[in-house]
Amino acid sequence: MSNTRAGTVSNFDTWKHAYAARAANLSVSEVRALFAVVSRPEVVSLAGGMPDVSALDGELIEQAFRSLMSNRRNYALQYGGGQGDLRLREQIQEIMALEGIQGSVENLMITTGSQHALELLADLFLDQGDAVLVEAPSYVGAVGIFRHKEAHIEHVFTDDDGISPVALAEAADRLIEQGRKVKLLYLVPNFANPSGVTLTAERRAQVLQVCRERGILIVEDNPYGLLYFDQKPPEALRAMDSEGVVYLGSFSKILSPGLRVGYVLAPPAIREKLILANESAILSPATFAQMMVSEYLSLSDWQGQIDTYRKLYASKRDAALEALAQYLPRVQTTRPQGGFFLWLTLPEGLNSKEMLPLAVDELVAYTPGTAFYGDGRGANNIRICFSHPTAENVKVGIQRLSNVVNPQLDRLVTLQAKH
Ligand code: PMP
């Protein structure tokens, strides 16, 4: 490629010759591409995984802001340390304790949402071609980062009990035999994005063993664990192993994603490197946002707020399952016990990406399953996010979706009958 500019007219190729090779792996995510469509008020969006922040107590947030400005303004408006605010890290210890995790403030680091923690970890561990094991399907934002790092993404068989430890061992051994360095296992063990499934306690112990035996670091991403509907999920993997698991938490789903505050509890062995990586990338996480979270936690009944979210999302999950039973009885679905998502499996041969424009014509949007795979799978899957619309609109959305899916199912049945 030449080093001269093609001309004076601005076009998207002007600096193409200068991009790093890995920039080719940055493409518009299927979720991002939907945003423009989905923001039209007449469209019911079952697409983006957004919390229902209208359930927050606005008075309390204002109170936290006023208290921050009166008492700690100069601190909140200044640079902070690369590891994040100490008082907030102490408060996070209480939150993690709810999931059975004992972690010291020394091993905790604040990040700009857990997405940022994923980016730092991927940057720290992954050279081109290194293997990352992930669930099938896996979180679109993680798949995107691993792809950008030019890693080899290996999806491991996952069912209603979470990732299969047997398949995990097989995949790891196969890749190692092929000469790959298998560096990480990335997991969302509770109410996963996108499937909604939860890893059983028995499998958690087995997964830990498989990884321990092979020197594979586990990244346990847990933004939804506290948003259970009836029963708490099993103990966190990090609670069972403090050396082999990096634990990621976030305030995005239990408070607000606009604040962009997440955290990492790192094994002591990698803590220093992570802090250096954080400082190198952003100097310090946003002090203001950290302080807002910290004030909110100290002023509010934050566990009561989480209970409010849990009840709200449980009612929306119920609305989704009822509507699916009523309008899409022939479509297979997961039955999440917490979180934001459920995962539909259509018969082979149907293509959810091709169906999306038809769905948008019917004024409903969802995320096609292919977004959650790094290898092109997922064409016959749909992710439904029930957390953001009202329960009523969740039902309306699913009814509209059935106007697209059911005729396609009928057509498939007719075709099959002919053959
Ligand atoms: N991990 C998972 C599984 C998620 O669903 C999300 C958000 N959709 C994130 C990480 C990133 O969240 P945040 O950066 O807002 O903490």
Side-chain angles (χ1 to χ4, degrees):
M1 264 297 170
S2 92
N3 237 356
T4 50
R5 285 180 71 183
T8 50
V9 180
S10 181
N11 76 47
F12 293 118
D13 288 336
T14 302
W15 292 104
K16 213 174 162 188
H17 66 279
Y19 282 140
R22 63 182 173 279
N25 298 313
L26 281 176
S27 51
V28 179
S29 86
E30 308 197 31
V31 178
R32 269 268 303 286
L34 285 173
F35 272 179
V37 172
V38 163
S39 54
R40 279 163 46 199
E42 66 278 20
V43 175
V44 171
S45 174
L46 305 171
M50 296 190 292
D52 186 350
V53 292
S54 70
L56 281 171
D57 181 343
E59 288 275 314
L60 252 175
I61 307 281
E62 278 179 37
Q63 207 183 322
F65 175 74
R66 280 196 300 272
S67 160
L68 181 57
M69 286 298 100
S70 326
N71 303 321
R72 311 183 75 199
R73 179 194 309 210
N74 289 342
Y75 182 66
L77 297 176
Q78 192 51 272
Y79 284 114
Q83 192 170 359
D85 179 66
L86 181 59
R87 185 174 80 146
L88 178 59
R89 283 186 279 136
E90 284 166 356
Q91 290 166 312
I92 289 169
Q93 283 182 301
E94 272 178 63
I95 298 175
M96 293 192 309
L98 295 178
E99 302 203 60
I101 298 171
Q102 309 297 325
S104 73
V105 286
E106 286 75 34
N107 295 330
L108 261 173
M109 184 180 85
I110 310 292
T111 55
T112 308
S114 49
Q115 189 70 20
H116 177 220
L118 281 170
E119 164 67 29
L120 294 177
L121 285 164
D123 205 45
L124 207 51
F125 284 97
L126 299 177
D127 288 316
Q128 188 182 36
D130 286 348
V132 191
L133 302 161
V134 301
E135 291 144 315
S138 180
Y139 166 51
V140 55
V143 170
I145 289 175
F146 299 147
R147 192 185 277 145
H148 185 210
K149 302 294 170 197
E150 303 180 301
H152 172 84
I153 301 167
E154 182 80 16
H155 290 276
V156 177
F157 178 78
T158 305
D159 59 21
D160 285 348
D161 290 337
I163 198 165
S164 153
V166 174
L168 181 67
E170 275 170 15
D173 290 342
R174 174 169 39 77
L175 290 165
I176 292 166
E177 210 170 289
Q178 287 168 6
R180 294 244 185 226
K181 289 183 184 159
V182 182
K183 297 275 184 79
L184 304 174
L185 166 64
Y186 168 74
L187 277 183
V188 186
N190 299 322
F191 323 124
N193 181 0
S195 66
V197 306
T198 295
L199 187 64
T200 60
E202 197 186 357
R203 284 193 180 180
R204 287 179 195 229
Q206 293 164 346
V207 164
L208 281 169
Q209 199 186 339
V210 168
C211 290
R212 215 177 280 137
E213 284 168 1
R214 291 162 181 80
I216 301 168
L217 182 65
I218 299 178
V219 179
E220 179 178 25
D221 186 9
N222 186 30
Y224 304 103
L226 290 174
L227 298 175
Y228 56 90
F229 299 150
D230 298 314
Q231 257 194 328
K232 276 190 174 185
E235 203 177 31
L237 284 94
R238 172 57 178 71
M240 296 181 247
D241 182 349
S242 57
E243 300 295 328
V245 180
V246 193
Y247 179 85
L248 311 187
S250 176
F251 287 96
S252 289
K253 311 295 158 49
I254 59 169
L255 176 56
S256 150
L259 290 161
R260 309 303 301 127
V261 179
Y263 51 92
V264 188
L265 178 63
I270 69 166
R271 173 189 68 207
E272 282 308 314
K273 276 285 188 202
L274 261 184
I275 297 170
L276 289 171
N278 208 18
E279 285 171 352
S280 159
I282 58 166
L283 300 183
S284 66
T287 322
F288 183 83
Q290 293 181 74
M291 297 289 82
M292 274 298 288
V293 174
S294 182
E295 286 296 306
Y296 170 83
L297 292 174
S298 61
L299 288 173
S300 73
D301 169 19
W302 55 269
Q303 292 200 45
Q305 176 61 45
I306 294 175
D307 287 343
T308 303
Y309 272 142
R310 284 178 38 221
K311 288 187 189 113
L312 181 67
Y313 297 139
S315 70
K316 294 185 185 195
R317 185 274 320 256
D318 290 344
L321 288 178
E322 261 173 49
L324 285 167
Q326 187 177 351
Y327 300 112
L328 284 167
R330 291 177 287 174
V331 171
Q332 193 192 323
T333 177
T334 55
R335 308 184 77 81
Q337 302 302 309
F340 287 8
F341 307 104
L342 49 81
W343 182 248
L344 306 184
T345 304
L346 309 172
E348 292 285 341
L350 292 194
N351 186 318
S352 65
K353 206 167 166 179
E354 284 170 10
M355 275 167 24
L356 187 57
L358 306 177
V360 172
D361 286 347
E362 291 285 333
L363 304 180
V364 61
Y366 58 79
T367 313
T370 43
F372 307 96
Y373 282 96
D375 58 9
R377 274 188 279 169
N380 62 325
N381 294 107
I382 284 177
R383 186 190 75 176
I384 298 275
C385 175
F386 51 77
S387 55
H388 189 252
T390 60
E392 194 43 44
N393 272 344
V394 168
K395 285 189 180 173
V396 170
I398 289 172
Q399 183 178 11
R400 290 177 184 173
L401 181 61
S402 73
N403 294 337
V404 177
V405 173
N406 283 334
Q408 302 241 0
L409 288 174
D410 294 339
R411 210 165 301 138
L412 201 69
V413 171
T414 319
L415 261 174
Q416 280 163 353
K418 277 190 191 155
H419 285 99

